[in-house]
Amino acid sequence: MQTQNQNQGMIYQQIPETSNAKKKFTLPKLQFRQFGDDLKDWLPFWNQFEHVDKDDDIAPENKFQYLVQATVVGSRARKVVESFPPTGENYVKAVDSLKARFGREDLLVEVYVRELLKLIVSVQSNQKLAPTFLYDKLESYLRALETLGVTTDKCASILYPMVESCFDEEFLKACNRIPTSSSANDAKERLENLMLFLKGEVEGEERI
């Protein structure tokens, strides 16, 4: 549509307003993360399956079938679930049994603490671990422990010596040359500075 501007004697074309309607996309179906025997897989597994567990629109008997599909064939977890007749009444019992066997917080804390100890043993045995590998593992374990309530606010005095033991003396000396590290007073701050220094080392390697 053309409109004349009376003041300037110019003709211009009006641009029609665009619609604010949002485009719709078809997303792929979400597949269940299957849980087997590895306790380190419990947190990501239950984080996903909990959405099914809390969905009141899904009948309990259907939740039971989803639970079966979400466990690895032949695993201990599948055997626990299949030890119950597949009825709606038994769904909660099957979930409670899985949690008692694999999802206890005290048990999972022990698992991640042991993983930290394995890293320490690797370093003490002079096994060369790449900074990227160390950073990814430490971040993963610390986040898992935080999810389980073992936070740096409460447990830094325990976590810091363990994380520190994952590095050789040369690395720790380099870290302590940083002003913020050398002036840190408490374990929480020292742990944060150590992880930040490691992150910087990893990012530096990735630029090369």
Side-chain angles (χ1 to χ4, degrees), residues 35-37 42 64 67-68 71-72 74-86 90-102:
F35 179 73
D37 298 330
W42 175 263
F64 196 108
L67 186 62
V68 172
T71 53
V72 177
S75 66
R76 288 183 297 150
R78 173 66 69 88
K79 291 176 182 177
V80 168
V81 174
E82 290 184 337
S83 67
F84 294 89
N90 284 329
Y91 167 72
V92 173
K93 296 177 183 178
V95 168
D96 288 344
S97 185
L98 271 182
K99 287 182 176 180
R101 183 76 65 87
F102 305 105

PDB file of all heavy atoms in Angstrom, residues 35-37 42 64 67-68 71-72 74-86 90-102:
ATOM      1  N   PHE A  35      18.903 -47.018  34.163  1.00  0.00           N
ATOM      2  CA  PHE A  35      19.736 -47.247  35.341  1.00  0.00           C
ATOM      3  C   PHE A  35      20.017 -48.734  35.472  1.00  0.00           C
ATOM      4  O   PHE A  35      19.125 -49.567  35.322  1.00  0.00           O
ATOM      5  CB  PHE A  35      19.032 -46.746  36.602  1.00  0.00           C
ATOM      6  CG  PHE A  35      19.823 -46.980  37.856  1.00  0.00           C
ATOM      7  CD1 PHE A  35      20.947 -46.221  38.124  1.00  0.00           C
ATOM      8  CD2 PHE A  35      19.459 -47.974  38.750  1.00  0.00           C
ATOM      9  CE1 PHE A  35      21.698 -46.439  39.270  1.00  0.00           C
ATOM     10  CE2 PHE A  35      20.194 -48.198  39.899  1.00  0.00           C
ATOM     11  CZ  PHE A  35      21.316 -47.429  40.158  1.00  0.00           C
ATOM     12  N   GLY A  36      21.290 -49.049  35.762  1.00  0.00           N
ATOM     13  CA  GLY A  36      21.677 -50.444  35.914  1.00  0.00           C
ATOM     14  C   GLY A  36      22.220 -50.726  37.297  1.00  0.00           C
ATOM     15  O   GLY A  36      21.486 -50.742  38.279  1.00  0.00           O
ATOM     16  N   ASP A  37      23.544 -50.900  37.379  1.00  0.00           N
ATOM     17  CA  ASP A  37      24.171 -51.250  38.654  1.00  0.00           C
ATOM     18  C   ASP A  37      25.117 -50.174  39.181  1.00  0.00           C
ATOM     19  O   ASP A  37      25.572 -50.262  40.323  1.00  0.00           O
ATOM     20  CB  ASP A  37      24.962 -52.559  38.504  1.00  0.00           C
ATOM     21  CG  ASP A  37      24.059 -53.728  38.126  1.00  0.00           C
ATOM     22  OD1 ASP A  37      22.883 -53.701  38.519  1.00  0.00           O
ATOM     23  OD2 ASP A  37      24.530 -54.645  37.437  1.00  0.00           O
ATOM     24  N   TRP A  42      22.821 -43.046  39.525  1.00  0.00           N
ATOM     25  CA  TRP A  42      21.522 -42.879  40.182  1.00  0.00           C
ATOM     26  C   TRP A  42      21.016 -41.438  40.122  1.00  0.00           C
ATOM     27  O   TRP A  42      19.853 -41.196  39.787  1.00  0.00           O
ATOM     28  CB  TRP A  42      21.577 -43.334  41.640  1.00  0.00           C
ATOM     29  CG  TRP A  42      20.283 -43.042  42.353  1.00  0.00           C
ATOM     30  CD1 TRP A  42      20.004 -41.958  43.144  1.00  0.00           C
ATOM     31  CD2 TRP A  42      19.073 -43.803  42.275  1.00  0.00           C
ATOM     32  NE1 TRP A  42      18.700 -42.009  43.582  1.00  0.00           N
ATOM     33  CE2 TRP A  42      18.111 -43.130  43.060  1.00  0.00           C
ATOM     34  CE3 TRP A  42      18.720 -44.986  41.628  1.00  0.00           C
ATOM     35  CZ2 TRP A  42      16.806 -43.606  43.208  1.00  0.00           C
ATOM     36  CZ3 TRP A  42      17.424 -45.466  41.775  1.00  0.00           C
ATOM     37  CH2 TRP A  42      16.489 -44.774  42.558  1.00  0.00           C
ATOM     38  N   PHE A  64       4.646 -47.982  36.425  1.00  0.00           N
ATOM     39  CA  PHE A  64       5.393 -49.218  36.671  1.00  0.00           C
ATOM     40  C   PHE A  64       6.069 -49.696  35.387  1.00  0.00           C
ATOM     41  O   PHE A  64       7.243 -50.091  35.398  1.00  0.00           O
ATOM     42  CB  PHE A  64       4.453 -50.301  37.210  1.00  0.00           C
ATOM     43  CG  PHE A  64       5.169 -51.451  37.848  1.00  0.00           C
ATOM     44  CD1 PHE A  64       5.148 -51.626  39.218  1.00  0.00           C
ATOM     45  CD2 PHE A  64       5.878 -52.364  37.076  1.00  0.00           C
ATOM     46  CE1 PHE A  64       5.818 -52.680  39.819  1.00  0.00           C
ATOM     47  CE2 PHE A  64       6.549 -53.428  37.662  1.00  0.00           C
ATOM     48  CZ  PHE A  64       6.520 -53.586  39.039  1.00  0.00           C
ATOM     49  N   LEU A  67       8.964 -47.588  34.594  1.00  0.00           N
ATOM     50  CA  LEU A  67      10.077 -47.898  35.490  1.00  0.00           C
ATOM     51  C   LEU A  67      10.841 -49.124  34.995  1.00  0.00           C
ATOM     52  O   LEU A  67      12.075 -49.160  35.047  1.00  0.00           O
ATOM     53  CB  LEU A  67       9.553 -48.132  36.909  1.00  0.00           C
ATOM     54  CG  LEU A  67      10.600 -48.320  38.004  1.00  0.00           C
ATOM     55  CD1 LEU A  67      11.471 -47.074  38.140  1.00  0.00           C
ATOM     56  CD2 LEU A  67       9.930 -48.640  39.343  1.00  0.00           C
ATOM     57  N   VAL A  68      10.108 -50.110  34.517  1.00  0.00           N
ATOM     58  CA  VAL A  68      10.761 -51.298  33.952  1.00  0.00           C
ATOM     59  C   VAL A  68      11.628 -50.899  32.761  1.00  0.00           C
ATOM     60  O   VAL A  68      12.791 -51.303  32.648  1.00  0.00           O
ATOM     61  CB  VAL A  68       9.707 -52.344  33.522  1.00  0.00           C
ATOM     62  CG1 VAL A  68      10.379 -53.492  32.761  1.00  0.00           C
ATOM     63  CG2 VAL A  68       8.964 -52.881  34.734  1.00  0.00           C
ATOM     64  N   THR A  71      15.128 -49.283  33.383  1.00  0.00           N
ATOM     65  CA  THR A  71      16.208 -50.055  34.004  1.00  0.00           C
ATOM     66  C   THR A  71      16.847 -50.964  32.957  1.00  0.00           C
ATOM     67  O   THR A  71      16.188 -51.405  32.012  1.00  0.00           O
ATOM     68  CB  THR A  71      15.682 -50.905  35.177  1.00  0.00           C
ATOM     69  OG1 THR A  71      14.580 -51.710  34.732  1.00  0.00           O
ATOM     70  CG2 THR A  71      15.221 -50.017  36.322  1.00  0.00           C
ATOM     71  N   VAL A  72      18.115 -51.233  33.131  1.00  0.00           N
ATOM     72  CA  VAL A  72      18.875 -52.028  32.162  1.00  0.00           C
ATOM     73  C   VAL A  72      18.513 -53.503  32.298  1.00  0.00           C
ATOM     74  O   VAL A  72      18.438 -54.040  33.411  1.00  0.00           O
ATOM     75  CB  VAL A  72      20.388 -51.838  32.380  1.00  0.00           C
ATOM     76  CG1 VAL A  72      21.193 -52.730  31.429  1.00  0.00           C
ATOM     77  CG2 VAL A  72      20.769 -50.373  32.180  1.00  0.00           C
ATOM     78  N   GLY A  74      18.670 -57.240  32.763  1.00  0.00           N
ATOM     79  CA  GLY A  74      19.633 -58.105  33.432  1.00  0.00           C
ATOM     80  C   GLY A  74      20.353 -57.469  34.605  1.00  0.00           C
ATOM     81  O   GLY A  74      21.117 -58.145  35.300  1.00  0.00           O
ATOM     82  N   SER A  75      20.127 -56.174  34.834  1.00  0.00           N
ATOM     83  CA  SER A  75      20.810 -55.482  35.933  1.00  0.00           C
ATOM     84  C   SER A  75      20.122 -55.778  37.259  1.00  0.00           C
ATOM     85  O   SER A  75      18.992 -56.275  37.310  1.00  0.00           O
ATOM     86  CB  SER A  75      20.814 -53.973  35.685  1.00  0.00           C
ATOM     87  OG  SER A  75      19.491 -53.460  35.733  1.00  0.00           O
ATOM     88  N   ARG A  76      20.809 -55.452  38.347  1.00  0.00           N
ATOM     89  CA  ARG A  76      20.209 -55.625  39.670  1.00  0.00           C
ATOM     90  C   ARG A  76      18.974 -54.750  39.821  1.00  0.00           C
ATOM     91  O   ARG A  76      17.993 -55.149  40.448  1.00  0.00           O
ATOM     92  CB  ARG A  76      21.233 -55.296  40.752  1.00  0.00           C
ATOM     93  CG  ARG A  76      22.339 -56.329  40.918  1.00  0.00           C
ATOM     94  CD  ARG A  76      23.248 -55.955  42.063  1.00  0.00           C
ATOM     95  NE  ARG A  76      23.934 -54.689  41.797  1.00  0.00           N
ATOM     96  CZ  ARG A  76      24.317 -53.835  42.738  1.00  0.00           C
ATOM     97  NH1 ARG A  76      24.061 -54.086  44.001  1.00  0.00           N
ATOM     98  NH2 ARG A  76      24.950 -52.721  42.413  1.00  0.00           N
ATOM     99  N   ALA A  77      19.027 -53.551  39.237  1.00  0.00           N
ATOM    100  CA  ALA A  77      17.881 -52.648  39.327  1.00  0.00           C
ATOM    101  C   ALA A  77      16.655 -53.253  38.648  1.00  0.00           C
ATOM    102  O   ALA A  77      15.542 -53.202  39.186  1.00  0.00           O
ATOM    103  CB  ALA A  77      18.227 -51.304  38.695  1.00  0.00           C
ATOM    104  N   ARG A  78      16.847 -53.841  37.466  1.00  0.00           N
ATOM    105  CA  ARG A  78      15.720 -54.468  36.766  1.00  0.00           C
ATOM    106  C   ARG A  78      15.172 -55.638  37.587  1.00  0.00           C
ATOM    107  O   ARG A  78      13.953 -55.829  37.672  1.00  0.00           O
ATOM    108  CB  ARG A  78      16.169 -54.942  35.381  1.00  0.00           C
ATOM    109  CG  ARG A  78      15.129 -55.759  34.615  1.00  0.00           C
ATOM    110  CD  ARG A  78      13.902 -54.941  34.231  1.00  0.00           C
ATOM    111  NE  ARG A  78      14.190 -53.938  33.226  1.00  0.00           N
ATOM    112  CZ  ARG A  78      14.148 -54.150  31.903  1.00  0.00           C
ATOM    113  NH1 ARG A  78      13.835 -55.344  31.436  1.00  0.00           N
ATOM    114  NH2 ARG A  78      14.403 -53.159  31.060  1.00  0.00           N
ATOM    115  N   LYS A  79      16.068 -56.398  38.195  1.00  0.00           N
ATOM    116  CA  LYS A  79      15.621 -57.537  38.993  1.00  0.00           C
ATOM    117  C   LYS A  79      14.818 -57.086  40.213  1.00  0.00           C
ATOM    118  O   LYS A  79      13.849 -57.745  40.604  1.00  0.00           O
ATOM    119  CB  LYS A  79      16.825 -58.373  39.424  1.00  0.00           C
ATOM    120  CG  LYS A  79      17.500 -59.101  38.265  1.00  0.00           C
ATOM    121  CD  LYS A  79      18.745 -59.836  38.716  1.00  0.00           C
ATOM    122  CE  LYS A  79      19.428 -60.525  37.530  1.00  0.00           C
ATOM    123  NZ  LYS A  79      20.692 -61.197  37.938  1.00  0.00           N
ATOM    124  N   VAL A  80      15.223 -55.960  40.806  1.00  0.00           N
ATOM    125  CA  VAL A  80      14.473 -55.425  41.947  1.00  0.00           C
ATOM    126  C   VAL A  80      13.063 -55.045  41.510  1.00  0.00           C
ATOM    127  O   VAL A  80      12.073 -55.385  42.173  1.00  0.00           O
ATOM    128  CB  VAL A  80      15.194 -54.199  42.550  1.00  0.00           C
ATOM    129  CG1 VAL A  80      14.281 -53.469  43.533  1.00  0.00           C
ATOM    130  CG2 VAL A  80      16.470 -54.624  43.252  1.00  0.00           C
ATOM    131  N   VAL A  81      12.958 -54.346  40.386  1.00  0.00           N
ATOM    132  CA  VAL A  81      11.644 -53.902  39.900  1.00  0.00           C
ATOM    133  C   VAL A  81      10.779 -55.101  39.531  1.00  0.00           C
ATOM    134  O   VAL A  81       9.594 -55.170  39.887  1.00  0.00           O
ATOM    135  CB  VAL A  81      11.807 -52.961  38.686  1.00  0.00           C
ATOM    136  CG1 VAL A  81      10.439 -52.611  38.100  1.00  0.00           C
ATOM    137  CG2 VAL A  81      12.542 -51.690  39.092  1.00  0.00           C
ATOM    138  N   GLU A  82      11.367 -56.061  38.827  1.00  0.00           N
ATOM    139  CA  GLU A  82      10.589 -57.209  38.361  1.00  0.00           C
ATOM    140  C   GLU A  82      10.273 -58.208  39.470  1.00  0.00           C
ATOM    141  O   GLU A  82       9.530 -59.165  39.240  1.00  0.00           O
ATOM    142  CB  GLU A  82      11.330 -57.903  37.221  1.00  0.00           C
ATOM    143  CG  GLU A  82      11.356 -57.068  35.938  1.00  0.00           C
ATOM    144  CD  GLU A  82      12.014 -57.789  34.782  1.00  0.00           C
ATOM    145  OE1 GLU A  82      12.822 -58.716  35.049  1.00  0.00           O
ATOM    146  OE2 GLU A  82      11.735 -57.433  33.622  1.00  0.00           O
ATOM    147  N   SER A  83      10.818 -57.981  40.659  1.00  0.00           N
ATOM    148  CA  SER A  83      10.463 -58.852  41.783  1.00  0.00           C
ATOM    149  C   SER A  83       9.059 -58.552  42.298  1.00  0.00           C
ATOM    150  O   SER A  83       8.507 -59.321  43.090  1.00  0.00           O
ATOM    151  CB  SER A  83      11.484 -58.699  42.916  1.00  0.00           C
ATOM    152  OG  SER A  83      11.407 -57.404  43.498  1.00  0.00           O
ATOM    153  N   PHE A  84       8.485 -57.434  41.832  1.00  0.00           N
ATOM    154  CA  PHE A  84       7.113 -57.067  42.193  1.00  0.00           C
ATOM    155  C   PHE A  84       6.180 -57.365  41.021  1.00  0.00           C
ATOM    156  O   PHE A  84       6.528 -57.074  39.869  1.00  0.00           O
ATOM    157  CB  PHE A  84       7.015 -55.572  42.530  1.00  0.00           C
ATOM    158  CG  PHE A  84       7.776 -55.161  43.760  1.00  0.00           C
ATOM    159  CD1 PHE A  84       9.105 -54.777  43.673  1.00  0.00           C
ATOM    160  CD2 PHE A  84       7.162 -55.164  45.002  1.00  0.00           C
ATOM    161  CE1 PHE A  84       9.816 -54.394  44.798  1.00  0.00           C
ATOM    162  CE2 PHE A  84       7.859 -54.785  46.138  1.00  0.00           C
ATOM    163  CZ  PHE A  84       9.192 -54.403  46.041  1.00  0.00           C
ATOM    164  N   PRO A  85       5.009 -57.899  41.279  1.00  0.00           N
ATOM    165  CA  PRO A  85       4.015 -58.033  40.209  1.00  0.00           C
ATOM    166  C   PRO A  85       3.699 -56.658  39.632  1.00  0.00           C
ATOM    167  O   PRO A  85       3.564 -55.687  40.386  1.00  0.00           O
ATOM    168  CB  PRO A  85       2.799 -58.632  40.928  1.00  0.00           C
ATOM    169  CG  PRO A  85       3.376 -59.336  42.115  1.00  0.00           C
ATOM    170  CD  PRO A  85       4.546 -58.506  42.544  1.00  0.00           C
ATOM    171  N   PRO A  86       3.605 -56.537  38.307  1.00  0.00           N
ATOM    172  CA  PRO A  86       3.442 -55.222  37.664  1.00  0.00           C
ATOM    173  C   PRO A  86       2.039 -54.645  37.805  1.00  0.00           C
ATOM    174  O   PRO A  86       1.265 -54.597  36.847  1.00  0.00           O
ATOM    175  CB  PRO A  86       3.783 -55.512  36.201  1.00  0.00           C
ATOM    176  CG  PRO A  86       3.395 -56.937  36.014  1.00  0.00           C
ATOM    177  CD  PRO A  86       3.700 -57.623  37.313  1.00  0.00           C
ATOM    178  N   ASN A  90       1.735 -51.851  43.321  1.00  0.00           N
ATOM    179  CA  ASN A  90       3.128 -52.197  43.620  1.00  0.00           C
ATOM    180  C   ASN A  90       4.132 -51.165  43.102  1.00  0.00           C
ATOM    181  O   ASN A  90       5.333 -51.295  43.370  1.00  0.00           O
ATOM    182  CB  ASN A  90       3.470 -53.564  43.023  1.00  0.00           C
ATOM    183  CG  ASN A  90       2.885 -54.697  43.838  1.00  0.00           C
ATOM    184  OD1 ASN A  90       2.745 -54.589  45.060  1.00  0.00           O
ATOM    185  ND2 ASN A  90       2.529 -55.785  43.174  1.00  0.00           N
ATOM    186  N   TYR A  91       3.657 -50.157  42.370  1.00  0.00           N
ATOM    187  CA  TYR A  91       4.597 -49.179  41.807  1.00  0.00           C
ATOM    188  C   TYR A  91       5.391 -48.469  42.904  1.00  0.00           C
ATOM    189  O   TYR A  91       6.625 -48.405  42.854  1.00  0.00           O
ATOM    190  CB  TYR A  91       3.863 -48.150  40.942  1.00  0.00           C
ATOM    191  CG  TYR A  91       4.734 -46.969  40.607  1.00  0.00           C
ATOM    192  CD1 TYR A  91       5.783 -47.089  39.699  1.00  0.00           C
ATOM    193  CD2 TYR A  91       4.550 -45.737  41.241  1.00  0.00           C
ATOM    194  CE1 TYR A  91       6.618 -46.019  39.417  1.00  0.00           C
ATOM    195  CE2 TYR A  91       5.373 -44.661  40.964  1.00  0.00           C
ATOM    196  CZ  TYR A  91       6.404 -44.806  40.052  1.00  0.00           C
ATOM    197  OH  TYR A  91       7.232 -43.742  39.791  1.00  0.00           O
ATOM    198  N   VAL A  92       4.687 -47.945  43.900  1.00  0.00           N
ATOM    199  CA  VAL A  92       5.363 -47.220  44.979  1.00  0.00           C
ATOM    200  C   VAL A  92       6.319 -48.146  45.726  1.00  0.00           C
ATOM    201  O   VAL A  92       7.425 -47.741  46.108  1.00  0.00           O
ATOM    202  CB  VAL A  92       4.330 -46.607  45.952  1.00  0.00           C
ATOM    203  CG1 VAL A  92       5.034 -45.993  47.157  1.00  0.00           C
ATOM    204  CG2 VAL A  92       3.504 -45.547  45.244  1.00  0.00           C
ATOM    205  N   LYS A  93       5.914 -49.397  45.911  1.00  0.00           N
ATOM    206  CA  LYS A  93       6.780 -50.357  46.599  1.00  0.00           C
ATOM    207  C   LYS A  93       8.058 -50.604  45.802  1.00  0.00           C
ATOM    208  O   LYS A  93       9.156 -50.698  46.375  1.00  0.00           O
ATOM    209  CB  LYS A  93       6.036 -51.674  46.812  1.00  0.00           C
ATOM    210  CG  LYS A  93       4.822 -51.567  47.727  1.00  0.00           C
ATOM    211  CD  LYS A  93       4.108 -52.903  47.828  1.00  0.00           C
ATOM    212  CE  LYS A  93       2.848 -52.793  48.683  1.00  0.00           C
ATOM    213  NZ  LYS A  93       2.112 -54.078  48.753  1.00  0.00           N
ATOM    214  N   ALA A  94       7.920 -50.697  44.486  1.00  0.00           N
ATOM    215  CA  ALA A  94       9.095 -50.922  43.639  1.00  0.00           C
ATOM    216  C   ALA A  94      10.041 -49.725  43.693  1.00  0.00           C
ATOM    217  O   ALA A  94      11.267 -49.886  43.775  1.00  0.00           O
ATOM    218  CB  ALA A  94       8.655 -51.188  42.199  1.00  0.00           C
ATOM    219  N   VAL A  95       9.474 -48.513  43.656  1.00  0.00           N
ATOM    220  CA  VAL A  95      10.299 -47.301  43.735  1.00  0.00           C
ATOM    221  C   VAL A  95      11.005 -47.223  45.082  1.00  0.00           C
ATOM    222  O   VAL A  95      12.210 -46.934  45.159  1.00  0.00           O
ATOM    223  CB  VAL A  95       9.436 -46.043  43.506  1.00  0.00           C
ATOM    224  CG1 VAL A  95      10.219 -44.782  43.874  1.00  0.00           C
ATOM    225  CG2 VAL A  95       8.985 -45.966  42.057  1.00  0.00           C
ATOM    226  N   ASP A  96      10.270 -47.484  46.151  1.00  0.00           N
ATOM    227  CA  ASP A  96      10.869 -47.442  47.490  1.00  0.00           C
ATOM    228  C   ASP A  96      11.994 -48.464  47.626  1.00  0.00           C
ATOM    229  O   ASP A  96      13.026 -48.197  48.263  1.00  0.00           O
ATOM    230  CB  ASP A  96       9.802 -47.699  48.558  1.00  0.00           C
ATOM    231  CG  ASP A  96       8.844 -46.530  48.714  1.00  0.00           C
ATOM    232  OD1 ASP A  96       9.172 -45.426  48.238  1.00  0.00           O
ATOM    233  OD2 ASP A  96       7.760 -46.727  49.307  1.00  0.00           O
ATOM    234  N   SER A  97      11.801 -49.618  47.021  1.00  0.00           N
ATOM    235  CA  SER A  97      12.831 -50.654  47.077  1.00  0.00           C
ATOM    236  C   SER A  97      14.080 -50.233  46.304  1.00  0.00           C
ATOM    237  O   SER A  97      15.211 -50.457  46.756  1.00  0.00           O
ATOM    238  CB  SER A  97      12.276 -51.963  46.513  1.00  0.00           C
ATOM    239  OG  SER A  97      13.204 -53.012  46.659  1.00  0.00           O
ATOM    240  N   LEU A  98      13.876 -49.601  45.142  1.00  0.00           N
ATOM    241  CA  LEU A  98      15.012 -49.095  44.363  1.00  0.00           C
ATOM    242  C   LEU A  98      15.779 -48.034  45.142  1.00  0.00           C
ATOM    243  O   LEU A  98      17.014 -48.041  45.188  1.00  0.00           O
ATOM    244  CB  LEU A  98      14.523 -48.495  43.045  1.00  0.00           C
ATOM    245  CG  LEU A  98      14.381 -49.403  41.826  1.00  0.00           C
ATOM    246  CD1 LEU A  98      13.923 -48.586  40.630  1.00  0.00           C
ATOM    247  CD2 LEU A  98      15.681 -50.120  41.512  1.00  0.00           C
ATOM    248  N   LYS A  99      15.037 -47.117  45.754  1.00  0.00           N
ATOM    249  CA  LYS A  99      15.682 -46.045  46.519  1.00  0.00           C
ATOM    250  C   LYS A  99      16.454 -46.609  47.707  1.00  0.00           C
ATOM    251  O   LYS A  99      17.551 -46.135  48.029  1.00  0.00           O
ATOM    252  CB  LYS A  99      14.635 -45.039  47.001  1.00  0.00           C
ATOM    253  CG  LYS A  99      14.069 -44.155  45.907  1.00  0.00           C
ATOM    254  CD  LYS A  99      13.066 -43.165  46.484  1.00  0.00           C
ATOM    255  CE  LYS A  99      12.552 -42.209  45.432  1.00  0.00           C
ATOM    256  NZ  LYS A  99      11.570 -41.242  45.998  1.00  0.00           N
ATOM    257  N   ALA A 100      15.878 -47.605  48.372  1.00  0.00           N
ATOM    258  CA  ALA A 100      16.550 -48.199  49.524  1.00  0.00           C
ATOM    259  C   ALA A 100      17.827 -48.921  49.115  1.00  0.00           C
ATOM    260  O   ALA A 100      18.808 -48.952  49.863  1.00  0.00           O
ATOM    261  CB  ALA A 100      15.601 -49.164  50.232  1.00  0.00           C
ATOM    262  N   ARG A 101      17.818 -49.486  47.906  1.00  0.00           N
ATOM    263  CA  ARG A 101      18.979 -50.242  47.437  1.00  0.00           C
ATOM    264  C   ARG A 101      20.047 -49.350  46.811  1.00  0.00           C
ATOM    265  O   ARG A 101      21.240 -49.557  47.023  1.00  0.00           O
ATOM    266  CB  ARG A 101      18.514 -51.275  46.407  1.00  0.00           C
ATOM    267  CG  ARG A 101      19.615 -52.196  45.880  1.00  0.00           C
ATOM    268  CD  ARG A 101      19.996 -53.257  46.890  1.00  0.00           C
ATOM    269  NE  ARG A 101      18.879 -54.152  47.127  1.00  0.00           N
ATOM    270  CZ  ARG A 101      18.621 -55.242  46.390  1.00  0.00           C
ATOM    271  NH1 ARG A 101      19.413 -55.549  45.372  1.00  0.00           N
ATOM    272  NH2 ARG A 101      17.601 -56.017  46.683  1.00  0.00           N
ATOM    273  N   PHE A 102      19.609 -48.354  46.033  1.00  0.00           N
ATOM    274  CA  PHE A 102      20.568 -47.576  45.247  1.00  0.00           C
ATOM    275  C   PHE A 102      20.567 -46.074  45.530  1.00  0.00           C
ATOM    276  O   PHE A 102      21.523 -45.390  45.170  1.00  0.00           O
ATOM    277  CB  PHE A 102      20.285 -47.768  43.748  1.00  0.00           C
ATOM    278  CG  PHE A 102      20.276 -49.194  43.302  1.00  0.00           C
ATOM    279  CD1 PHE A 102      19.082 -49.836  43.025  1.00  0.00           C
ATOM    280  CD2 PHE A 102      21.461 -49.898  43.160  1.00  0.00           C
ATOM    281  CE1 PHE A 102      19.060 -51.158  42.607  1.00  0.00           C
ATOM    282  CE2 PHE A 102      21.457 -51.220  42.741  1.00  0.00           C
ATOM    283  CZ  PHE A 102      20.250 -51.856  42.467  1.00  0.00           C
TER     284      PHE A 102
END
